Amino acid sequence: MILVGGEGTRLRPLTSTMPKPVVPLVDRPFIAFMLDWLRQHGVDDVIMSCGFLATAVREALGDDSRLGLRLRFVEEPEPRGTAGALKLAEPMLDERFLMLNGDVLTDIDLTSQMAQHEATGARATLALVPVADPTAYGVVLLEEDGSVREFIEKPSSDRVPGNLISAGAYVLERTILELVPPDRNISIEREIWPLLVGDGLYGFASDSYWLDIGTPARYLQGTFDIIEGNVTTAVRERLGDDWLAIDDGAVLEGRVIPPAVLERGVRIAAGAHVGSLVVLGADVSIGAGSTVERAVVLEGTQVGEGCELRDCIVAARCRVGDRSRITGGAVLGEGVSVGADNVITRGARIFPGVALPDGAIEF
Ligand code: GDD
Ligand code: MG
């Protein structure tokens, strides 16, 4: 069961027009990376627990399965929280199953995690990874035998017991559903894990790649890690030995520096520099003398001449006027139009459909 019911507020404006699981990451809807990963560990039956924009998730993925696994959807009448969503799916769940947060990019070894779960006789086994700043996550302190001594969701900085955090990938026994009251909003992290401490809650510590893609900075990091091969994904094969995936029909008059992914119909005019660490979606055009580096530009966007796009995300079907600079973690939502000679930087987020006249902003 994959939880995809959150609103993805921290990833706005990308998630203003589509739910987080189907936001394109490199060359496919984000959730496709998770499905690939699950399939590699023998998963062939997936329940998506949706809330916000459920229909959009369904449409982007399709009910049937060219994905190579069975896919079913559960829609919540209103957000039920992470445990409430699980309770709602109860009739569809087996005796033992995996539950996953729908916003993590990882290649954690679920097969070993399931083997450990079996060996310890746990009721719940949480995958754990070390992070530098644990305060945004569920922090776990383990006993010698791998059982959880303490679980604290989003501790304040003076109460952090260690740097191991819950990675949002759990092996669960169906019996834990007895602890979840029906028909109300309830958080598995805040209300269920604490009940299981000392009573069957175990941690599986991993040093695999792991990233929660839930903010623009981490979305960019995830993109770079995929195209640099820091995380094992199917994109690696597309990149080949030259670390460039350039679709047929791209017209390249400027320079492209790897790693980079350029989809069909991309046009790069003379004197433009694209890369390294760039993804250009289908039909993106980059004007003469423009520079694009460490950036994602989605489908159909047109960038004028003499522009600079660095450390930024530009969503689908935007227009960027000549000599404009989009840098410093800025994010343009779908269909934004930026006139000539603008500077958008310092994490600015421009919402879908906004039109800025020439020289309007120096953010
Ligand atoms: N169906 C459903 N209903 N899904 C939900 C709901 C809900 O009411 N609320 C959240 N989700 C989904 C989100 O879409 C996301 O995929 C997942 O549950 C986790 O929610 P986030 O909002 O992303 O939580 P977080 O990142 O702050 O914290 C969680 O993940 C961390 C790892 O990234 C917690 O599980 C932490 O303990 C964990 O460390
Ligand atoms: Mg998250």
Side-chain angles (χ1 to χ4, degrees):
M1 165 155 158
I2 308 181
L3 291 168
V4 293
E7 287 187 46
T9 44
R10 288 166 293 185
L11 205 51
R12 283 182 191 152
L14 296 179
T15 46
S16 305
T17 45
M18 67 182 94
K20 188 159 61 173
V22 298
V23 167
L25 186 66
V26 184
D27 61 354
R28 57 201 81 195
F30 168 70
I31 198 79
F33 288 98
M34 292 196 71
L35 296 176
D36 260 357
W37 166 55
L38 292 170
R39 207 182 306 103
Q40 274 160 25
H41 292 282
V43 172
D44 58 8
D45 193 353
V46 171
I47 302 163
M48 295 266 195
S49 171
C50 306
F52 181 70
L53 298 178
T55 329
V57 180
R58 218 181 261 237
E59 275 168 10
L61 293 175
D63 279 278
D64 71 332
S65 282
R66 58 191 160 76
L67 297 159
L69 31 74
R70 180 181 187 198
L71 202 53
R72 287 176 287 173
F73 295 84
V74 180
E75 274 176 51
E76 296 163 289
E78 69 280 320
R80 284 287 168 83
T82 45
L86 179 66
K87 190 69 176 178
L88 212 53
E90 187 166 10
M92 301 162 96
L93 296 167
D94 291 340
E95 288 308 309
R96 181 176 296 164
F97 56 92
L98 294 166
M99 175 162 153
L100 306 130
N101 287 350
D103 59 355
V104 295
L105 177 65
T106 180
D107 50 17
I108 286 174
D109 184 354
L110 294 172
T111 304
S112 300
Q113 184 180 349
M114 291 185 276
Q116 182 196 303
H117 180 86
E118 172 79 34
T120 58
R123 296 169 80 192
T125 302
L126 318 183
L128 308 175
V129 288
V131 296
D133 176 14
T135 54
Y137 305 103
V139 186
V140 173
L141 192 63
L142 290 182
E143 303 282 5
E144 288 280 308
D145 67 353
S147 62
V148 173
R149 182 199 301 198
E150 202 176 1
F151 182 97
I152 314 175
E153 183 64 16
K154 308 206 171 73
S156 54
S157 44
D158 55 332
R159 285 199 58 216
V160 178
N163 71 339
L164 274 184
I165 61 127
S166 166
Y170 325 122
V171 186
L172 303 179
E173 293 299 303
R174 190 188 167 83
T175 54
I176 72 152
L177 283 152
E178 292 160 12
L179 303 171
V180 185
D183 306 323
R184 75 168 175 91
N185 186 302
I186 175 164
S187 156
I188 205 160
E189 297 88 349
R190 293 180 192 277
E191 299 186 60
I192 306 301
W193 301 152
L195 289 179
L196 286 172
V197 169
D199 195 13
L201 188 63
Y202 283 74
F204 168 78
S206 167
D207 54 11
S208 295
Y209 178 91
W210 182 86
L211 187 72
D212 175 326
I213 60 132
T215 66
R218 292 199 229 117
Y219 171 92
L220 275 178
Q221 188 61 51
T223 303
F224 303 157
D225 287 332
I226 290 168
I227 67 179
E228 283 190 302
N230 296 334
V231 51
T232 309
T233 73
V235 177
R236 179 67 194 90
E237 217 169 291
R238 267 196 80 193
L239 286 162
D241 293 336
D242 58 0
W243 295 88
L244 286 173
I246 301 182
D247 214 88
D248 297 340
V251 180
L252 311 181
E253 289 166 0
R255 264 184 75 192
V256 180
I257 303 138
V261 173
L262 276 52
E263 302 294 3
R264 70 181 152 72
V266 162
R267 305 174 72 89
I268 299 175
H273 282 66
V274 170
S276 65
L277 297 170
V278 167
V279 173
L280 302 183
D283 302 317
V284 165
S285 67
I286 307 294
S290 290
T291 299
V292 184
E293 195 184 357
R294 301 175 56 85
V296 174
V297 183
L298 298 178
E299 190 170 353
T301 285
Q302 298 180 3
V303 176
E305 301 186 354
C307 294
E308 182 188 330
L309 272 60
R310 241 185 263 276
D311 297 294
C312 65
I313 306 167
V314 180
R317 290 168 286 281
C318 292
R319 301 177 68 100
V320 179
D322 296 346
R323 296 173 305 280
S324 280
R325 298 174 51 215
I326 321 281
T327 66
V331 187
L332 307 193
E334 199 173 325
V336 165
S337 165
V338 174
D341 301 300
N342 282 287
V343 180
I344 301 175
T345 180
R346 283 187 229 145
R349 301 179 188 210
I350 313 289
F351 278 74
V354 168
L356 300 172
D358 293 350
I361 290 203
E362 181 139 347
F363 211 94

